[in-house]
Amino acid sequence: MTQYREILRLTSLGFSQRNIAGSLRCSRDTASAVALRAKQKQLSWPLPLELTDAELEKLLFPDKGRESSRKAPDYECIHKEMAKSGVTLSLLWSEYCEECSASGEIPFQYAQYCKGYGKFTKTSKATMHIHRKPGEQMEVDWAGQTGSVIDSVTGEMYTAYLFVAVLPSSQYAYAEAFLSMNQESWISAHVNAFSFFGGVTKAVVPDNLKTGVEKADWYSPVINKSYHEMAEHYGTAIVPARVKKPKDKASVEGTVGVISTWILASIRNQKYFSIGELNEAASRKLKAFNERPFQKKPGSRHSVFLYEERETLQPLPGIPYELALWKKAIVQYNYHIDVDKMHYSIPYEYIKCQVDIRITSRVIEVFYNGLRVCSHPRLYGRQGQYATVTEHMPPSHQKYLEWNGERFVSWAESVGPDTKVVINGILASHKVEQQGYRSCMGALKLADKYSTQRLEAACKRALSYTPCPSYKIIASILSSGSDKRPSKSNDIPALKENVAEQYGFTRGAGYYGGKK
């Protein structure tokens, strides 16, 4: 702005226009015009105290404050268009001139157009310092710069990613390297950061990365379930930064760059053969970084944290959070679900229902509509193992599961001693005991149709024919009523017939022409 007041003061002191222009760095024409206008308006030094610089300018040059007859550009719209790829100010000015020509208005020249846009961008980039209360929030992010770890056996080099957490109030920082940026590393980094700080902040501010936020939204972002569960365990809240708004977590954004230089760049010439070695070196550098004195205020990050922020943090829970992964599954017809090629039973009522599975290193928990329906110790080792709870099976399957030799023998003993001998004989007649379960079940179930007394009598008669009677022999005796008749010697041929029915005809020497 032209210094009208100073020009009038120097003029009253008798300085030449050349000297005034040199002193105030303005043109001689400007100094001459101001002096001439003041004389015309009958203004002389000293000026009235209530007259401001803006009022003085308006009084001397009333036409200067008037709005131009040219069409004013929409700088806000121009700023949005400039964010698009390939768009330049020259292109936008050409389009602006075409619009003015079509509407019969006069456009600004290109220089004035650019000057106006430059002034707009300066005001739109204004920043505000936000004072963060101690213990209010923790800002987290992955550093852009990476480190490396060398495999001591193969010599292969692996990339190490640096996680950074910062407390904005004290600027106290935590950093840890991981070989992956997956969910497990992300959650573990938070757990370790809380442990390092010795407490928990009221909120955690991350980026909208997939391991933290499933769906980014301005009003209600969807937080990853494992991440949300971790926040609940520590009694904090996840408040993601807005998309493409890094100033929402300015502290960690600034610290990430400094730590990348202070830690990763400082150890760039050293070789590490495990992530533990790299983190040990990073820990030493981090300690020096936090204890480094501030340049423009007293103390360091560590001292400010100790005296101002540590006591404001919420206490840590009794046990650290154990990472839990979540997945969805459909309960199959065999009332089992598959987790890492291991099979876990679910109550059969949930067959073909979609359930949520919470997986930890020790436990598999299954939820349906938010209600936990069962849990199992996690299986390890050989793939394809089954963890089956009897209560999860349908009643008919539970009965089948209860079948065993001892149960059948005990059942037969309650009928009678001859029945017990028959059941023992059926079980012993098979190479695998389970092969005789159906025959035992069938023989014992005959008591439901004929009574236990008749079954015991039938078993006694069958034992008189053969030491190992089958289910068919007992069923034949009961159906024919032979158990009701007294035992006779002529019943033996019947045994031979029954044996022939079971094993087929045996051809002797006479059939082949031999001697009897």
Side-chain angles (χ1 to χ4, degrees):
M1 184 176 180
T2 306
Q3 301 180 50
Y4 301 109
R5 189 182 298 273
E6 189 65 12
I7 290 175
L8 294 178
R9 188 183 72 83
L10 294 176
T11 300
S12 67
L13 294 175
F15 285 91
S16 66
Q17 294 177 0
R18 182 187 296 276
N19 291 334
I20 293 173
S23 175
L24 302 180
R25 295 184 179 181
C26 63
S27 66
R28 284 181 290 173
D29 292 339
T30 299
S32 175
V34 170
L36 181 61
R37 285 298 182 99
K39 186 176 181 181
Q40 292 174 352
K41 298 292 182 179
Q42 297 181 353
L43 286 173
S44 60
W45 189 264
L47 298 173
L49 295 176
E50 64 274 8
L51 187 65
T52 64
D53 290 344
E55 291 173 343
L56 177 61
E57 181 183 15
K58 188 175 182 180
L59 184 63
L60 294 175
F61 302 97
D63 296 335
K64 193 172 183 179
R66 293 179 183 176
E67 293 184 359
S68 174
S69 60
R70 300 173 185 269
K71 181 181 178 181
D74 186 354
Y75 290 117
E76 186 173 351
C77 180
I78 293 170
H79 191 61
K80 291 180 180 178
E81 291 295 316
M82 285 293 290
K84 299 178 181 178
S85 177
V87 178
T88 62
L89 271 178
S90 178
L91 173 63
L92 295 176
W93 179 74
S94 299
E95 295 175 351
Y96 160 73
C97 291
E98 291 175 2
E99 291 177 5
C100 292
S101 178
S103 60
E105 297 176 289
I106 304 173
F108 280 103
Q109 294 299 317
Y110 182 66
Q112 192 67 20
Y113 181 87
C114 294
K115 183 178 179 181
Y117 176 66
K119 185 177 180 180
F120 171 82
T121 55
K122 288 179 182 178
T123 58
S124 64
K125 290 181 179 179
T127 60
M128 179 181 69
H129 172 72
I130 301 176
H131 177 69
R132 299 297 184 188
K133 297 179 181 178
E136 184 178 37
Q137 67 183 36
M138 177 178 77
E139 299 175 2
V140 295
D141 201 0
W142 291 105
Q145 190 174 346
T146 59
S148 60
V149 175
I150 302 173
D151 190 317
S152 58
V153 178
T154 63
E156 187 176 358
M157 186 173 292
Y158 296 95
T159 302
Y161 305 92
L162 191 67
F163 170 86
V164 180
V166 179
L167 302 178
S169 177
S170 62
Q171 295 295 305
Y172 195 52
Y174 171 74
E176 183 179 1
F178 293 88
L179 292 176
S180 172
M181 292 192 291
N182 59 13
Q183 178 103 56
E184 184 176 358
S185 300
W186 180 248
I187 299 295
S188 298
H190 282 70
V191 172
N192 296 341
F194 288 137
S195 177
F196 176 80
F197 293 135
V200 184
T201 55
K202 295 179 181 178
V204 177
V205 183
D207 263 334
N208 288 273
L209 69 174
K210 283 295 181 182
T211 50
V213 181
E214 290 184 354
K215 182 181 179 182
D217 186 83
W218 180 276
Y219 299 105
S220 56
V222 180
I223 307 300
N224 180 282
K225 196 164 187 176
S226 297
Y227 197 27
H228 178 72
E229 191 179 59
M230 183 274 297
E232 284 187 335
H233 181 82
Y234 283 98
T236 186
I238 305 299
V239 186
R242 293 171 294 173
V243 178
K244 297 182 180 180
K245 298 291 182 180
K247 290 183 180 180
D248 286 359
K249 49 184 187 63
S251 296
V252 73
E253 291 289 345
T255 306
V256 159
V258 178
I259 280 189
S260 295
T261 302
W262 193 263
I263 296 179
L264 295 178
S266 64
I267 60 176
R268 66 189 183 280
N269 296 323
Q270 301 177 28
K271 295 181 180 180
Y272 300 96
F273 297 95
S274 70
I275 194 68
E277 291 182 7
L278 176 60
N279 277 321
E280 188 177 345
S283 178
R284 292 193 296 268
K285 294 292 183 180
L286 177 67
K287 185 175 184 296
F289 173 77
N290 282 325
E291 294 178 353
R292 183 186 183 191
F294 288 121
Q295 292 183 353
K296 298 182 180 180
K297 59 181 181 179
S300 64
R301 291 172 172 83
H302 184 251
S303 63
V304 174
F305 169 75
L306 291 179
Y307 293 112
E308 296 183 7
E309 190 159 20
R310 185 172 65 174
E311 298 301 326
T312 64
L313 297 177
Q314 302 176 80
L316 292 170
I319 56 173
Y321 174 74
E322 182 180 13
L323 174 64
L325 301 179
W326 288 84
K327 65 177 293 187
K328 295 182 180 293
I330 303 291
V331 182
Q332 299 304 309
Y333 285 111
N334 66 349
Y335 43 87
H336 283 74
I337 55 171
D338 175 55
V339 178
D340 296 334
K341 298 184 179 180
M342 299 294 188
H343 308 281
Y344 302 88
S345 66
I346 312 295
Y348 71 94
E349 293 89 351
Y350 296 95
I351 288 175
K352 302 310 292 181
C353 292
Q354 187 180 61
V355 295
D356 296 312
I357 308 169
R358 183 176 181 269
I359 307 168
T360 69
S361 60
R362 296 178 294 174
V363 180
I364 301 293
E365 295 178 285
V366 182
F367 295 81
Y368 180 72
N369 289 340
L371 177 67
R372 193 177 81 160
V373 296
C374 67
S375 65
H376 294 272
R378 188 169 182 180
L379 298 175
Y380 289 98
R382 174 180 51 83
Q383 294 181 354
Q385 297 182 59
Y386 279 80
T388 306
V389 178
T390 305
E391 288 74 13
H392 295 169
M393 306 171 70
S396 58
H397 291 199
Q398 293 183 31
K399 289 182 180 179
Y400 180 83
L401 189 66
E402 293 173 357
W403 288 5
N404 57 66
E406 293 181 0
R407 183 172 183 270
F408 286 119
V409 171
S410 176
W411 186 359
E413 191 174 8
S414 66
V415 177
D418 292 315
T419 306
K420 179 180 178 182
V421 174
V422 170
I423 294 302
N424 279 325
I426 292 174
L427 294 173
S429 64
H430 294 85
K431 291 183 178 180
V432 180
E433 187 181 84
Q434 285 79 358
Q435 292 175 333
Y437 287 174
R438 291 182 182 273
S439 296
C440 293
M441 177 64 74
L444 293 169
K445 281 288 186 180
L446 290 172
D448 297 338
K449 184 177 181 182
Y450 298 103
S451 77
T452 56
Q453 292 80 7
R454 288 194 62 185
L455 175 59
E456 174 67 12
C459 290
K460 183 177 182 179
R461 184 172 289 273
L463 288 171
S464 66
Y465 301 153
T466 174
C468 296
S470 65
Y471 162 75
K472 289 185 177 181
I473 294 176
I474 298 170
S476 176
I477 292 172
L478 288 170
S479 64
S480 64
S482 301
D483 60 296
K484 296 179 181 180
R485 298 195 299 266
S487 179
K488 296 181 181 179
S489 59
N490 57 3
D491 290 336
I492 297 177
L495 172 62
K496 294 182 178 179
E497 292 178 3
N498 290 330
V499 173
E501 289 180 5
Q502 184 177 2
Y503 297 104
F505 293 99
T506 302
R507 297 179 176 86
Y511 178 82
Y512 296 101
K515 296 180 180 180
K516 293 184 180 180

